[in-house]
Amino acid sequence: MENIKSYVQQHKDRFINELIELLKIPSVSADTAYSQDVIDTAEAVKTSLSQAGCDLVETCDTPGYPIIYGEKIIDPNLPTVLVYGHYDVQPPDPMELWTSPPFEPVIKTTDIHPDGAIFARGACDDKGQMYMHVKALEYMVQSNTLPCNVKFMIEGEEEVGSASLAWFVERNQEKLKNDVILISDTGMISNQQPSITTGLRGLSYVEVEVTGPNRDLHSGLYGGAVANPINILAKMIASLHDEDNHITIPGFYDKVQELSAEERAEMAKAPFSLEKYKNALNIADVYGEKGYVTNERNSIRPTLDVNGIWGGYTGEGAKTVIASKAYAKISMRLVPNQDWHEITELFTKHFTSIAPAGVTVKVTPHHGGQGYVTPIDSIGYKAANMAYTETFGVPAIPVRSGGSIPIVALFEKELKSKTILMGFGLDSDAIHSPNEHFGIFNYLKGIETIPLFYKYFVELSK
């Protein structure tokens, strides 16, 4: 333990500078104007893995951006850890809200990060967290303490749906064979209280269109005589929840996985102030499904939310019109065992059935993904918890995330192995937003903690 601490302290300036150089490259996968920058970042990651100690590093072509694959196999009979990360980043817009240029990294101190944080697009999501694993490998190779085999799979399309990753995984199952997958693309509760993300929600995202008359109508001449698609859509959406905020789609809850009392009790240990939560959002009270507390509603329970709704006249002034059409975008966050294809079908069938005769309904599915859960009694979870406990001085708390990372379910399906989500970011790090940042403490603590996961995973696997 002291060896890794001293190594990090000895090399911390270099570690920080290397990350800053990586963050300078604007690897925005969503914008083709940055295509060469994305490819340049892939090459930079390839070079870093080689320098860290991988014996084999490859640029693997895909239908989209390349995947960088690296490995160090010390003994085929030992366990293998597969590290996943991504080198692409979100677009920096809106640029005017950044306090410093998004691709000119600077270190600033904040109340939460008194030791400083690197402000740049991708600092936390995911270049900073991915690079912790590269530097952890460097330490284990240099100190001759790597206890098992390691493989790296770093992609460049995570921020645009990882389409090429699914293509690559399906075609390279033997190359990617492993005993556990390790990802740092999530967060933890605080710098004093680590946590391990044990569950992710799935997602079904649809767009609905309600059509009434064949043209927009004068609301005086036709109002009250024909169905108004906007009024109808509002009623239909309102009917999707009952008075207890349960979702009313038949069959929606049939496969919902209920957590054990033990895991709910563990989750409840996470520090949480309802008053601070409400104050941060400037709301008078919380709102949600009856029978569950806030941290359960936004993580272990499925939801249905309208993400956008429009139709009719929305310009300046008045226009007395009954619109021909009304639209809404609706997302459903799903829990493990709920299949997003099945939920999309249930929604479509139900939403179509509740429309009155005066309108027609069209439901267009957009995308989705499966939920995921890692048992807290798994070897991977135990190893991660022991690693966090050693570096932070307190055990980690299992946390179910409300977000979705569809690739995790893909990994389990195709590679037949569990994923451990060892995140070191904080909710305040502004990922996907202007002024994204990653604490120096968090970055270095990740490099310090990751080698211990390897150590304990191998010990527990014997």
Side-chain angles (χ1 to χ4, degrees), residues 254-271:
D254 286 357
K255 295 182 180 179
V256 169
Q257 184 185 68
E258 297 287 345
L259 262 65
S260 66
E262 175 191 11
E263 188 157 2
R264 288 182 73 177
E266 284 295 310
M267 288 180 59
K269 293 179 181 178

PDB file of all heavy atoms in Angstrom, residues 254-271:
ATOM      1  N   ASP A 254     -44.661  -6.484 -14.408  1.00  0.00           N
ATOM      2  CA  ASP A 254     -44.667  -7.947 -14.259  1.00  0.00           C
ATOM      3  C   ASP A 254     -43.285  -8.522 -13.970  1.00  0.00           C
ATOM      4  O   ASP A 254     -43.161  -9.506 -13.223  1.00  0.00           O
ATOM      5  CB  ASP A 254     -45.239  -8.607 -15.518  1.00  0.00           C
ATOM      6  CG  ASP A 254     -46.752  -8.455 -15.615  1.00  0.00           C
ATOM      7  OD1 ASP A 254     -47.347  -7.893 -14.682  1.00  0.00           O
ATOM      8  OD2 ASP A 254     -47.322  -8.902 -16.638  1.00  0.00           O
ATOM      9  N   LYS A 255     -42.248  -7.965 -14.550  1.00  0.00           N
ATOM     10  CA  LYS A 255     -40.904  -8.529 -14.380  1.00  0.00           C
ATOM     11  C   LYS A 255     -39.976  -7.643 -13.556  1.00  0.00           C
ATOM     12  O   LYS A 255     -38.768  -7.866 -13.531  1.00  0.00           O
ATOM     13  CB  LYS A 255     -40.280  -8.790 -15.758  1.00  0.00           C
ATOM     14  CG  LYS A 255     -41.021  -9.851 -16.566  1.00  0.00           C
ATOM     15  CD  LYS A 255     -40.348 -10.112 -17.886  1.00  0.00           C
ATOM     16  CE  LYS A 255     -41.105 -11.185 -18.678  1.00  0.00           C
ATOM     17  NZ  LYS A 255     -40.475 -11.443 -20.008  1.00  0.00           N
ATOM     18  N   VAL A 256     -40.543  -6.668 -12.872  1.00  0.00           N
ATOM     19  CA  VAL A 256     -39.722  -5.775 -12.047  1.00  0.00           C
ATOM     20  C   VAL A 256     -39.088  -6.555 -10.906  1.00  0.00           C
ATOM     21  O   VAL A 256     -39.772  -7.269 -10.167  1.00  0.00           O
ATOM     22  CB  VAL A 256     -40.556  -4.603 -11.498  1.00  0.00           C
ATOM     23  CG1 VAL A 256     -39.782  -3.839 -10.425  1.00  0.00           C
ATOM     24  CG2 VAL A 256     -40.951  -3.670 -12.628  1.00  0.00           C
ATOM     25  N   GLN A 257     -37.791  -6.405 -10.775  1.00  0.00           N
ATOM     26  CA  GLN A 257     -37.057  -7.098  -9.716  1.00  0.00           C
ATOM     27  C   GLN A 257     -37.131  -6.301  -8.421  1.00  0.00           C
ATOM     28  O   GLN A 257     -36.726  -5.146  -8.357  1.00  0.00           O
ATOM     29  CB  GLN A 257     -35.593  -7.264 -10.137  1.00  0.00           C
ATOM     30  CG  GLN A 257     -34.740  -8.048  -9.164  1.00  0.00           C
ATOM     31  CD  GLN A 257     -33.289  -8.073  -9.594  1.00  0.00           C
ATOM     32  OE1 GLN A 257     -32.591  -7.066  -9.583  1.00  0.00           O
ATOM     33  NE2 GLN A 257     -32.815  -9.239 -10.005  1.00  0.00           N
ATOM     34  N   GLU A 258     -37.665  -6.930  -7.390  1.00  0.00           N
ATOM     35  CA  GLU A 258     -37.745  -6.288  -6.077  1.00  0.00           C
ATOM     36  C   GLU A 258     -36.450  -6.546  -5.307  1.00  0.00           C
ATOM     37  O   GLU A 258     -35.972  -7.671  -5.243  1.00  0.00           O
ATOM     38  CB  GLU A 258     -38.937  -6.831  -5.283  1.00  0.00           C
ATOM     39  CG  GLU A 258     -40.289  -6.537  -5.916  1.00  0.00           C
ATOM     40  CD  GLU A 258     -40.706  -5.081  -5.790  1.00  0.00           C
ATOM     41  OE1 GLU A 258     -40.095  -4.356  -4.981  1.00  0.00           O
ATOM     42  OE2 GLU A 258     -41.640  -4.681  -6.505  1.00  0.00           O
ATOM     43  N   LEU A 259     -35.874  -5.506  -4.726  1.00  0.00           N
ATOM     44  CA  LEU A 259     -34.646  -5.671  -3.956  1.00  0.00           C
ATOM     45  C   LEU A 259     -34.917  -6.322  -2.611  1.00  0.00           C
ATOM     46  O   LEU A 259     -35.988  -6.143  -2.022  1.00  0.00           O
ATOM     47  CB  LEU A 259     -33.973  -4.316  -3.726  1.00  0.00           C
ATOM     48  CG  LEU A 259     -32.840  -3.977  -4.700  1.00  0.00           C
ATOM     49  CD1 LEU A 259     -33.378  -3.828  -6.105  1.00  0.00           C
ATOM     50  CD2 LEU A 259     -32.103  -2.735  -4.257  1.00  0.00           C
ATOM     51  N   SER A 260     -33.928  -7.035  -2.122  1.00  0.00           N
ATOM     52  CA  SER A 260     -34.040  -7.647  -0.807  1.00  0.00           C
ATOM     53  C   SER A 260     -33.981  -6.566   0.262  1.00  0.00           C
ATOM     54  O   SER A 260     -33.470  -5.453   0.033  1.00  0.00           O
ATOM     55  CB  SER A 260     -32.887  -8.639  -0.590  1.00  0.00           C
ATOM     56  OG  SER A 260     -31.648  -7.949  -0.531  1.00  0.00           O
ATOM     57  N   ALA A 261     -34.495  -6.890   1.422  1.00  0.00           N
ATOM     58  CA  ALA A 261     -34.446  -5.952   2.546  1.00  0.00           C
ATOM     59  C   ALA A 261     -32.996  -5.621   2.898  1.00  0.00           C
ATOM     60  O   ALA A 261     -32.672  -4.485   3.274  1.00  0.00           O
ATOM     61  CB  ALA A 261     -35.165  -6.544   3.752  1.00  0.00           C
ATOM     62  N   GLU A 262     -32.105  -6.612   2.716  1.00  0.00           N
ATOM     63  CA  GLU A 262     -30.686  -6.402   3.029  1.00  0.00           C
ATOM     64  C   GLU A 262     -30.081  -5.330   2.126  1.00  0.00           C
ATOM     65  O   GLU A 262     -29.403  -4.415   2.597  1.00  0.00           O
ATOM     66  CB  GLU A 262     -29.914  -7.716   2.858  1.00  0.00           C
ATOM     67  CG  GLU A 262     -28.409  -7.559   3.049  1.00  0.00           C
ATOM     68  CD  GLU A 262     -27.632  -8.799   2.622  1.00  0.00           C
ATOM     69  OE1 GLU A 262     -28.234  -9.691   1.997  1.00  0.00           O
ATOM     70  OE2 GLU A 262     -26.423  -8.847   2.890  1.00  0.00           O
ATOM     71  N   GLU A 263     -30.359  -5.428   0.803  1.00  0.00           N
ATOM     72  CA  GLU A 263     -29.755  -4.458  -0.100  1.00  0.00           C
ATOM     73  C   GLU A 263     -30.383  -3.081   0.060  1.00  0.00           C
ATOM     74  O   GLU A 263     -29.703  -2.062  -0.041  1.00  0.00           O
ATOM     75  CB  GLU A 263     -29.870  -4.932  -1.549  1.00  0.00           C
ATOM     76  CG  GLU A 263     -29.078  -4.050  -2.499  1.00  0.00           C
ATOM     77  CD  GLU A 263     -28.700  -4.733  -3.796  1.00  0.00           C
ATOM     78  OE1 GLU A 263     -29.083  -5.905  -3.990  1.00  0.00           O
ATOM     79  OE2 GLU A 263     -28.021  -4.103  -4.611  1.00  0.00           O
ATOM     80  N   ARG A 264     -31.688  -3.020   0.339  1.00  0.00           N
ATOM     81  CA  ARG A 264     -32.320  -1.717   0.576  1.00  0.00           C
ATOM     82  C   ARG A 264     -31.732  -1.071   1.828  1.00  0.00           C
ATOM     83  O   ARG A 264     -31.529   0.144   1.883  1.00  0.00           O
ATOM     84  CB  ARG A 264     -33.833  -1.867   0.698  1.00  0.00           C
ATOM     85  CG  ARG A 264     -34.517  -2.179  -0.618  1.00  0.00           C
ATOM     86  CD  ARG A 264     -36.035  -2.282  -0.469  1.00  0.00           C
ATOM     87  NE  ARG A 264     -36.674  -0.978  -0.274  1.00  0.00           N
ATOM     88  CZ  ARG A 264     -37.991  -0.805  -0.180  1.00  0.00           C
ATOM     89  NH1 ARG A 264     -38.806  -1.855  -0.274  1.00  0.00           N
ATOM     90  NH2 ARG A 264     -38.497   0.398  -0.007  1.00  0.00           N
ATOM     91  N   ALA A 265     -31.447  -1.901   2.840  1.00  0.00           N
ATOM     92  CA  ALA A 265     -30.839  -1.377   4.064  1.00  0.00           C
ATOM     93  C   ALA A 265     -29.434  -0.860   3.805  1.00  0.00           C
ATOM     94  O   ALA A 265     -29.026   0.181   4.349  1.00  0.00           O
ATOM     95  CB  ALA A 265     -30.813  -2.466   5.137  1.00  0.00           C
ATOM     96  N   GLU A 266     -28.674  -1.569   2.961  1.00  0.00           N
ATOM     97  CA  GLU A 266     -27.332  -1.108   2.613  1.00  0.00           C
ATOM     98  C   GLU A 266     -27.396   0.217   1.852  1.00  0.00           C
ATOM     99  O   GLU A 266     -26.605   1.134   2.093  1.00  0.00           O
ATOM    100  CB  GLU A 266     -26.608  -2.164   1.771  1.00  0.00           C
ATOM    101  CG  GLU A 266     -26.096  -3.353   2.570  1.00  0.00           C
ATOM    102  CD  GLU A 266     -25.008  -2.953   3.560  1.00  0.00           C
ATOM    103  OE1 GLU A 266     -24.051  -2.265   3.160  1.00  0.00           O
ATOM    104  OE2 GLU A 266     -25.136  -3.300   4.742  1.00  0.00           O
ATOM    105  N   MET A 267     -28.331   0.315   0.924  1.00  0.00           N
ATOM    106  CA  MET A 267     -28.486   1.554   0.159  1.00  0.00           C
ATOM    107  C   MET A 267     -28.843   2.719   1.067  1.00  0.00           C
ATOM    108  O   MET A 267     -28.417   3.857   0.847  1.00  0.00           O
ATOM    109  CB  MET A 267     -29.567   1.386  -0.904  1.00  0.00           C
ATOM    110  CG  MET A 267     -29.188   0.514  -2.081  1.00  0.00           C
ATOM    111  SD  MET A 267     -30.545   0.378  -3.260  1.00  0.00           S
ATOM    112  CE  MET A 267     -30.812   2.095  -3.690  1.00  0.00           C
ATOM    113  N   ALA A 268     -29.647   2.434   2.086  1.00  0.00           N
ATOM    114  CA  ALA A 268     -30.105   3.493   2.989  1.00  0.00           C
ATOM    115  C   ALA A 268     -28.971   4.079   3.831  1.00  0.00           C
ATOM    116  O   ALA A 268     -29.132   5.146   4.440  1.00  0.00           O
ATOM    117  CB  ALA A 268     -31.205   2.953   3.909  1.00  0.00           C
ATOM    118  N   LYS A 269     -27.821   3.419   3.848  1.00  0.00           N
ATOM    119  CA  LYS A 269     -26.677   3.929   4.606  1.00  0.00           C
ATOM    120  C   LYS A 269     -26.011   5.114   3.910  1.00  0.00           C
ATOM    121  O   LYS A 269     -25.211   5.826   4.505  1.00  0.00           O
ATOM    122  CB  LYS A 269     -25.647   2.819   4.813  1.00  0.00           C
ATOM    123  CG  LYS A 269     -26.118   1.681   5.721  1.00  0.00           C
ATOM    124  CD  LYS A 269     -25.045   0.603   5.843  1.00  0.00           C
ATOM    125  CE  LYS A 269     -25.527  -0.544   6.720  1.00  0.00           C
ATOM    126  NZ  LYS A 269     -24.497  -1.632   6.803  1.00  0.00           N
ATOM    127  N   ALA A 270     -26.318   5.293   2.648  1.00  0.00           N
ATOM    128  CA  ALA A 270     -25.707   6.406   1.909  1.00  0.00           C
ATOM    129  C   ALA A 270     -26.149   7.737   2.508  1.00  0.00           C
ATOM    130  O   ALA A 270     -27.344   7.952   2.740  1.00  0.00           O
ATOM    131  CB  ALA A 270     -26.110   6.337   0.446  1.00  0.00           C
ATOM    132  N   PRO A 271     -25.209   8.644   2.770  1.00  0.00           N
ATOM    133  CA  PRO A 271     -25.581   9.948   3.319  1.00  0.00           C
ATOM    134  C   PRO A 271     -26.531  10.681   2.370  1.00  0.00           C
ATOM    135  O   PRO A 271     -26.268  10.782   1.173  1.00  0.00           O
ATOM    136  CB  PRO A 271     -24.237  10.681   3.422  1.00  0.00           C
ATOM    137  CG  PRO A 271     -23.203   9.605   3.411  1.00  0.00           C
ATOM    138  CD  PRO A 271     -23.766   8.505   2.578  1.00  0.00           C
TER     139      PRO A 271
END
